[in-house]
Amino acid sequence: MAGFLYMPNTAHPLSYCILVRCAPSQQSQALSALHFTQALLAQGHKVLRVFFYQQAVLTGSSLRVMPQDESNLTSQWQQLAQQHQIELGVCIAAALQTGIVNQQESQRYELPGTSLAEGFELVGLGQLAAASAQCDRLVSFGAGS
Amino acid sequence: MTCLICLSQSPYASQSAKESLDLALVMAAFEQNPGLLFIDEGVLQLLPKAAQPSPHKHIGKVISALEMYDISQLWVEQESLQAFGLVTEQLSQPVKLISRHQIAELWAKYDQHLVF
């Protein structure tokens, strides 16, 4: 969905929940989600939570290596989250099926390592439901099929 | 905030159908009373006992949970159903039929929309 339909108005700061559903390899849509969130924060709006669902859980992988002349979405999200103290939630059910695990899940399922990038958090779908109920605007990027 | 979830994916082509239904169930558990609109190949999610070609859970199990979660607003686009030569009696859940030109009206009743 085009985020541009929701051009923010600085006079009335709103709270947003950003839902990302496309894989980081789906460049334009995945980038739109990042740029839209950056623009919101730059204009003084509040981002309650960024939620990565479906194929977007791959954005939270610490094991992806990008060619040197290409930008790395994972580190760009990390930077943004650090600067603005926003939460990067990764759907735990989708993450586990994709091979994205943190220390806790790795131990629980006796896996040989961890792969969740720093700054990202494994959370349940309930966190998306809660944020979507609280926010003024829910904006979704990328179909996950 | 009320949310209309639009389901347009066939049951097993990808994980998308199951993931959209999972989200509907969780929203219902948070008492947000989401509406579901089945459209295009999404109507196939409502076929009872369809063959299950994937190693994943039978989609009918998730669909039958909708009732337990009090999700009663189930809409099916008439034209999509017709395109597959189906009638509502063949579906696993009681649904409301809606024709394509009425969808904008339904859409307008909800604050949020998620299209899968």
Side-chain angles (χ1 to χ4, degrees):
Chain A
M1 193 175 287
F4 308 104
L5 291 174
Y6 299 89
M7 279 313 278
N9 175 348
T10 37
H12 303 283
L14 297 173
S15 64
Y16 281 76
C17 172
I18 306 294
L19 171 61
V20 193
R21 291 157 52 196
C22 51
S25 56
Q26 286 165 281
Q27 292 285 354
S28 69
Q29 295 186 70
L31 253 180
S32 293
L34 177 73
H35 288 168
F36 183 71
T37 310
Q38 284 170 337
L40 286 179
L41 293 165
Q43 298 202 19
H45 293 283
K46 200 176 163 195
V47 175
L48 293 183
R49 178 172 289 128
V50 182
F51 192 89
F52 297 87
Y53 193 33
Q54 300 190 286
Q55 292 170 29
V57 296
L58 268 173
T59 316
S61 167
S62 61
L63 299 180
R64 290 188 316 119
V65 180
M66 300 306 291
Q68 278 185 358
D69 55 350
E70 288 183 29
S71 65
N72 185 336
L73 271 177
T74 304
S75 59
Q76 285 179 282
W77 275 116
Q78 285 170 323
Q79 253 175 13
L80 190 67
Q82 209 179 17
Q83 276 168 11
H84 297 273
Q85 308 294 312
I86 53 175
E87 201 179 296
L88 304 176
V90 179
C91 171
I92 187 166
L96 289 178
Q97 290 181 44
T98 313
I100 315 261
V101 288
N102 59 10
Q103 188 70 42
Q104 194 184 347
E105 300 304 315
S106 180
Q107 276 167 3
R108 186 200 313 263
Y109 296 102
E110 297 176 5
L111 303 174
T114 63
S115 54
L116 183 71
E118 220 181 296
F120 289 81
E121 226 181 304
L122 293 185
V123 295
L125 267 179
Q127 297 292 317
L128 170 61
S132 76
Q134 261 176 29
C135 67
D136 296 313
R137 297 282 186 277
L138 166 68
V139 187
S140 168
F141 291 86
S145 61
Chain B
M1 289 285 173
T2 55
C3 187
L4 180 67
I5 301 178
C6 181
L7 305 100
S8 69
Q9 301 290 318
S10 66
Y12 302 109
S14 70
Q15 283 274 74
S16 192
K18 174 157 183 304
E19 287 169 326
S20 51
L21 290 168
D22 282 347
L23 181 56
L25 295 179
V26 172
M27 283 187 158
F30 276 68
E31 296 183 343
Q32 288 177 39
N33 197 16
L36 300 190
L37 169 64
F38 295 88
I39 195 165
D40 294 337
E41 291 182 349
V43 301
L44 301 176
Q45 296 177 28
L46 290 164
L47 281 182
K49 308 255 162 38
Q52 181 190 355
S54 80
H56 300 294
K57 193 191 279 183
H58 193 295
I59 206 85
K61 284 188 185 156
V62 193
I63 291 277
S64 60
L66 295 177
E67 206 181 347
M68 278 191 320
Y69 282 78
D70 288 329
I71 301 181
S72 56
Q73 297 298 311
L74 302 181
W75 302 89
V76 171
E77 195 212 36
Q78 199 166 12
E79 285 82 353
S80 303
L81 207 57
Q82 274 167 1
F84 288 101
L86 294 168
V87 291
T88 47
E89 287 73 28
Q90 289 171 287
L91 305 179
S92 63
Q93 301 293 310
V95 296
K96 296 175 202 168
L97 273 186
I98 184 168
S99 63
R100 193 163 291 171
H101 71 271
Q102 290 174 303
I103 285 184
E105 210 176 304
L106 175 69
W107 209 256
K109 287 183 189 157
Y110 288 86
D111 302 316
Q112 299 174 339
H113 313 89
L114 285 173
V115 182
F116 285 86

